[in-house]
Amino acid sequence: MRYTFSKVKISGWIETSLVDVIGHVSFSVWFSYCNFRCLWCQNRPVIIGEKVLEIDVDKLVETVKEHAWLVDFLHVTGGEPTLQPVQLTELFKCVKERTNLKTSLSTNGSRPNVIQNLLKENLLDHLAIDVKAPIDDEELYAKVIGLEKGDVVRSVAESLSIAVKNLDFIEVRTTLVPRLLEVKDMGNIAKYLSTLGKIKRGRRFIYVVQQFSPSETVLNEEYRRMRRGEPEDVLKAAKMASKYLDWEIYARTLDIGVVKIK
Ligand code: SF4
């Protein structure tokens, strides 16, 4: 049977990445555009679609296939990949058909139905999901993601619940953004995650607290000029999370790399 492939809007790819799926090497692709406007976002060119490459899914799959011997996962990040659900599904489906790679999605959690549909078709092996702020604080969440207060927290909560019920390998990530979040907020996020259910044998649930690091590609000018977050605060926040959560916990900073807390 002959497929008609969609075109996907991407901002680029890297053939081998060591940072997208913890403990694994991935071929990582950036899907263009995002529905959030986090002032501190590192990927301004990606989220506003500054340089978009429109490519056939088929062609992208062939590129992934050429490098499949080097990596364990195809990782799709962004931007927000769930904004192109048809292309995302096609990409994962074809990669599973044509290679032995596992699939990984990085998402802001705003489109639980897309995650659910990928799972229904058995197309997802690893999910990295951002929890940007405590789930029970809608106002703070909206501030951190640069939007008006809305339904986002409910969608993120639903995405988390779907992930915990259905996947064996999950990474939840929070960036400790100076002026917006405090160490205690990671404690609140960890408490929430601990209510989602117990980890069964053979499953890896991971919580990573990340450092904010300014660069020329940060969305908001004030955040572009801000100092990098203190590594000690990231460590403190990850330790705080470890008091409440029985998952693997890591602190990730540029200064001291990835430190396993638990
Ligand atoms: S940090 Fe925020 S704006 Fe940037 S890609 Fe992630 S969700 Fe989108």
Side-chain angles (χ1 to χ4, degrees), residues 115 119 127 129 157-170 172 192-200 203 205-206 247:
I115 300 171
L119 287 165
L127 188 76
I129 175 165
E158 199 183 332
S159 294
L160 282 168
S161 157
I162 291 168
V164 166
K165 274 190 203 125
N166 295 286
L167 281 161
D168 291 338
F169 190 11
I170 303 167
V172 175
Y192 179 83
L193 295 175
S194 73
T195 65
L196 294 175
K198 291 268 171 228
I199 309 175
K200 294 193 192 119
R203 302 180 95 192
F205 288 3
I206 296 168
W247 293 15

Side-chain angles (χ1 to χ4, degrees), residues 33-44 46-47 78-80 107-108 130 132 144-145 219:
Y33 306 112
C34 188
N35 50 347
F36 287 7
R37 282 292 175 271
C38 311
L39 296 176
W40 47 276
C41 174
Q42 304 269 3
N43 283 337
R44 177 174 47 94
V46 177
I47 70 167
E80 177 50 41
T107 176
N108 60 26
D130 289 348
K132 310 275 188 192
V144 175
I145 64 174
L219 181 63

Side-chain angles (χ1 to χ4, degrees), residues 64-242:
V64 175
K65 201 175 155 189
E66 278 169 31
H67 299 88
W69 63 282
L70 288 168
V71 299
D72 313 311
F73 279 85
L74 164 66
H75 176 75
V76 178
T77 182
E80 177 50 41
T82 60
L83 299 183
Q84 300 183 73
V86 172
Q87 293 85 341
L88 182 62
T89 308
E90 254 179 38
L91 177 62
F92 280 170
K93 201 179 265 178
C94 291
V95 161
K96 283 207 170 276
E97 277 171 12
R98 297 187 206 170
T99 74
N100 290 324
L101 295 186
K102 292 185 174 171
T103 52
S104 164
L105 170 68
S106 176
T107 176
N108 60 26
S110 60
R111 299 212 155 179
N113 58 323
V114 178
I115 300 171
Q116 185 76 73
N117 289 339
L118 290 172
L119 287 165
K120 256 191 219 153
E121 296 199 47
N122 216 6
L123 293 177
L124 197 56
D125 300 297
H126 170 259
L127 188 76
I129 175 165
D130 289 348
V131 174
K132 310 275 188 192
I135 294 279
D136 57 1
D137 192 337
E138 280 183 31
E139 210 155 301
L140 178 59
Y141 214 102
K143 211 168 154 188
V144 175
I145 64 174
L147 299 180
E148 297 291 315
K149 213 169 112 182
D151 283 342
V152 166
V153 282
R154 267 178 291 284
S155 300
V156 177
E158 199 183 332
S159 294
L160 282 168
S161 157
I162 291 168
V164 166
K165 274 190 203 125
N166 295 286
L167 281 161
D168 291 338
F169 190 11
I170 303 167
E171 271 175 73
V172 175
R173 300 165 177 173
T174 307
T175 301
L176 181 55
V177 188
R179 296 191 201 163
L180 287 174
L181 293 175
E182 297 172 29
V183 167
K184 70 174 171 47
D185 292 319
M186 309 305 119
N188 289 334
I189 293 170
K191 275 184 211 164
Y192 179 83
L193 295 175
S194 73
T195 65
L196 294 175
K198 291 268 171 228
I199 309 175
K200 294 193 192 119
R201 254 174 96 109
R203 302 180 95 192
R204 281 191 83 190
F205 288 3
I206 296 168
Y207 183 48
V208 185
V209 183
Q210 309 180 131
Q211 178 186 39
F212 165 73
S213 177
S215 72
E216 276 310 299
T217 58
V218 165
L219 181 63
N220 173 272
E221 203 182 330
E222 188 189 333
Y223 279 85
R224 222 174 289 154
R225 285 188 272 112
M226 211 182 255
R227 280 179 50 187
R228 191 189 291 172
E230 294 297 335
E232 292 75 21
D233 289 342
V234 179
L235 282 170
K236 257 191 239 163
K239 281 180 189 154
M240 167 77 82
S242 72

